[in-house]
């Protein structure tokens, strides 16, 4: 990231390319998932910027001659931009389009010739296109010189987390961090790895081989996450087996990193029987990982494909012109941005035009999420513009007399910004704003800045934008973050109910279907956590009530996480996968229980979303009594450990759901004043992604 931005900066300063600041910023924040994703992001950016430039030029031709028509065109354009953020299926393209149009509006309002205005508009596209092309080329160079196998890295991360947790009991000290990491990886699943494998350059034989390894590693993590949640007493023999299993897993990590074929492990047939559930399944899974690669000289190597196969999506979302929420969002954002546009033109202070950009960048669905982003933007502008920008102008830049000297300062600031950008979703946007503020001061004009007005104007513009968002955007049809949290929670309940549906009644619920549901549920969990952060920034008379409801939803989410991980492990028995065989009567009994579990989850979802105090479904506890009898009377000792693990997992789901029901009934009144989220999540497709905007400028 820093290398790409630095090269773009040096070229821009050498040839004094106009609007080089945008090129440097986009070189820093362009997608780097892999070279193919970077290439796709570059195409998306250039196309959307080109359309925006054409739109701005056409608008200038027809409306720039008459001030009143020009004003009406700008106001209508601002509404169109915010409406497109919700109505267009490709959020990134809609954002890039709106960003360039907003950037060029002050150009056409300035007192320069029409030719200069047109040239500057085209240079905004050219500077960004030039920078993104350089960034894409660098990504391919890095992929060749220093290839990073993201698939192998993800496999090793999961194996190391499992081994780390297995070692914690032998040390006699609980490791909550290791357990939390293991559960997080179990929730995350293997969807990302399977997508990387799908778009890899492995041969067909190697693809099958690596696919089996991915599936087995996911199975190992699922088993480990479920074992971590069971209250188990470990004997001395059990601790030795846990340590030996951890050694095996760490050996697998070394072999995978070195691209060696994992060596075969000795069996543990002579070891005494263990009372630890799922341990034998974990040992068997580790042995299967080694057996998958038997007969190969080394693990296959992977070079990312230049392009990714993507299914084209419609331009507009299905309900683009029928959902009134999109129109309301466009009105809210358009009014806030229009207010800022009128203010900086009425006072003839074009330097604070960043106020309109602030409205675009911080316009999110809920009040809390918007304010969270607003604070990060303002904080980044203070650190990057006032602290670093002013400090560099006063103490550093007077001593520099060449591009080489400035490059050292530029790299230092870019490294700091990139470190924060890659730290995590909560602070990523803060790092972007630090870089933007610093670049704006030092790359806006290719000369030494003797005035501090640039940084002052930028911070003042952001403040104006924040005031407009708080006074207009948040007050018109503003939705609390608690509503979004409730919606995500209800959606997760319904998806879990679908996963609990008996396999005989829902033949489509396979392991692959469970993977797709896992990805959606993981997205819901992440969205709920982000909305919980944003809710902390909402104020008013209902703040105390909302914070209390927030704590309940976060606690219930943890229980849902454990239930989901447990269900994934249980599903392997219900689908009769090799190594997970249990008696047929036990399966039939579980199918009855699954139907009741699904009904209970649906009733919980209705209870929260509709606020209807419907009676909860009763659960026949005799089902598991019968299951235990079936297990005890079974004479086939070879499947007894699997049956014992199956019963423990099944009873664990039941106890978790019972506890969740009791807690929800006791605190349902906390949601009495929350806006209804009726039928939330009923129509969400498995594997679908939520429309959460990415971190941008």
């Amino acid at each position: 990231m820093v290398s790409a931005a630095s090269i773009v900066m040096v070229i821009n300063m050498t040839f004094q390319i106009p609007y080089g600041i945008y090129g440097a910023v986009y070189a820093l924040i362009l997608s780097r998932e892999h070279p193919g994703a970077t290439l796709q992001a570059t195409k998306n950016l250039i196309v959307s910027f080109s359309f925006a430039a054409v739109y701005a030029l056409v608008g200038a031709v027809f409306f720039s001659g008459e001030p009143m028509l020009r004003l009406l065109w700008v106001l209508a354009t601002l509404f169109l931009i915010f409406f497109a953020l919700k109505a267009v299926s490709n959020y990134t393209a809609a954002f890039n389009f709106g960003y360039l149009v907003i950037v060029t509006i002050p150009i056409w309002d300035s007192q320069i010739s029409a030719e200069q205005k047109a040239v500057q508009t085209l240079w905004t596209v050219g500077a960004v296109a030039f920078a993104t092309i350089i960034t894409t080329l660098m990504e391919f160079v890095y992929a060749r010189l220093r290839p990073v196998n993201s698939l192998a890295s993800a496999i090793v991360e999961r194996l190391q987390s499992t081994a780390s947790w297995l070692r914690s009991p032998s040390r006699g000290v609980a490791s909550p961090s290791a357990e939390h990491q293991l559960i997080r990886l179990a929730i995350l699943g293997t969807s990302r790895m399977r997508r990387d494998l799908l778009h890899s350059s492995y041969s067909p034989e190697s693809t099958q081989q690596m696919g089996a390894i991915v599936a087995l590693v996911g199975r190992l993590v699922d088993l480990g996450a479920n074992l971590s949640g069971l209250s188990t007493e470990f004997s001395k023999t059990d601790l030795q087996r846990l340590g030996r299993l951890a050694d095996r897993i760490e050996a697998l990590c070394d072999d995978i990193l070195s691209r060696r074929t994992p060596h075969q492990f000795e069996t543990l047939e002579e070891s005494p029987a263990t009372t630890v559930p799922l341990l034998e399944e974990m040992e068997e899974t580790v042995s299967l990982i080694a057996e998958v690669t038997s007969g190969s000289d080394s693990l296959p190597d992977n070079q990312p494909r230049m392009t990714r196969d993507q299914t084209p999506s419609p331009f507009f979302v299905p309900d683009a012109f029928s959902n009134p929420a999109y129109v309301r969002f466009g009105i809210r954002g358009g009014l806030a941005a229009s207010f800022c546009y009128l203010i900086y033109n009425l006072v003839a202070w074009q330097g604070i035009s960043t106020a309109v950009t602030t409205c675009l960048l911080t316009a999110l669905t809920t009040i809390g999420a918007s304010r969270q982003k607003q604070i990060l933007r303002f904080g980044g502008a203070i650190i990057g513009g006032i602290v670093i920008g002013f400090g560099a102008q006063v103490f550093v830049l007077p001593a520099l007399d060449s591009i080489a000297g400035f490059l050292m300062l530029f790299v230092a600031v870019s490294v700091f910004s990139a470190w924060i950008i890659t730290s995590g979703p909560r602070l990523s946007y803060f790092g972007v704003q630090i870089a933007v503020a610093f670049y704006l001061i030092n790359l806006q004009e290719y000369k030494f800045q003797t005035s501090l007005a640039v940084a002052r104007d930028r911070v003042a513009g952001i403040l104006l934008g924040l005031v407009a968002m708080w006074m207009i955007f948040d007050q018109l049809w503003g939705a609390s973050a608690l509503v979004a949290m409730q919606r995500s929670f209800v959606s997760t309940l319904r998806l879990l109910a679908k996963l609990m549906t008996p396999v005989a009644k829902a033949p489509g619920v396979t392991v692959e279907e469970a993977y797709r549901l896992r990805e959606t549920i993981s997205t819901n969990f992440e969205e709920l956590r982000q909305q919980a952060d944003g809710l902390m920034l909402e104020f008013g008379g209902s703040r105390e009530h909302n914070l209390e409801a927030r704590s309940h939803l976060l606690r219930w989410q943890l229980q849902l996480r454990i239930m989901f991980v447990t269900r994934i492990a249980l599903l392997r028995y219900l689908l009769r996968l090799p190594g997970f065989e249990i008696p047929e009567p036990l399966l039939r009994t579980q199918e009855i229980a699954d139907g009741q579990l699904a009904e209970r989850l649906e009733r919980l979802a209705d209870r929260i979303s509709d606020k209807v105090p419907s009676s909860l479904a009763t659960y026949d506890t005799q089902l598991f009594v019968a299951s235990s009898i079936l297990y005890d009377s079974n004479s086939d000792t070879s499947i007894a450990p699997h049956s014992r693990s199956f019963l423990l997992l099944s009873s664990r789901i039941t106890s978790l759901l019972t506890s969740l029901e009791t807690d929800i009934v006791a605190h349902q009144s906390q949601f009495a004043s929350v806006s209804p989220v009726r039928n939330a999540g009923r129509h969400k497709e498995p594997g679908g992604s939520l429309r959460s905007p990415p971190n941008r400028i």
Side-chain angles (χ1 to χ4, degrees), residues 281 284 573 579-582 638-646:
E281 286 92 334
E284 179 184 0
Y573 296 92
F580 292 87
E581 296 84 0
I582 58 175
S638 63
I639 63 172
H642 296 300
S643 298
R644 182 171 60 252
S645 299
F646 174 85

Side-chain angles (χ1 to χ4, degrees), residues 496-505 563 567 570 574 582 584-602 617-628 630 646-647 649-655 657-658 661:
L496 276 175
K498 181 177 181 180
L499 197 61
M500 294 290 181
T501 303
V503 175
K505 297 182 180 180
M563 288 175 57
R567 180 62 180 182
L570 192 67
L574 301 178
I582 58 175
E584 184 71 21
L586 200 56
L587 284 175
R588 303 284 75 82
T589 303
Q590 183 62 37
E591 286 184 0
I592 301 175
D594 286 345
Q596 295 188 0
L597 289 171
E599 182 183 359
R600 293 168 73 183
L601 286 168
E602 284 286 354
T618 57
Y619 187 75
D620 189 359
T621 56
Q622 296 301 317
L623 290 173
F624 279 100
V625 174
S627 301
S628 302
L630 287 171
F646 174 85
L647 291 173
L649 293 173
S650 187
S651 61
R652 185 186 185 198
I653 293 178
T654 306
S655 61
L657 183 53
T658 301
E661 285 176 335

Side-chain angles (χ1 to χ4, degrees), residues 263-282:
H263 58 280
Q264 301 294 316
F265 299 110
E266 71 280 3
T267 60
L268 298 176
E269 293 179 356
E270 302 301 326
S271 301
T274 178
T275 59
V276 179
L278 305 179
L279 180 57
E280 292 185 356
E281 286 92 334
M282 293 182 70

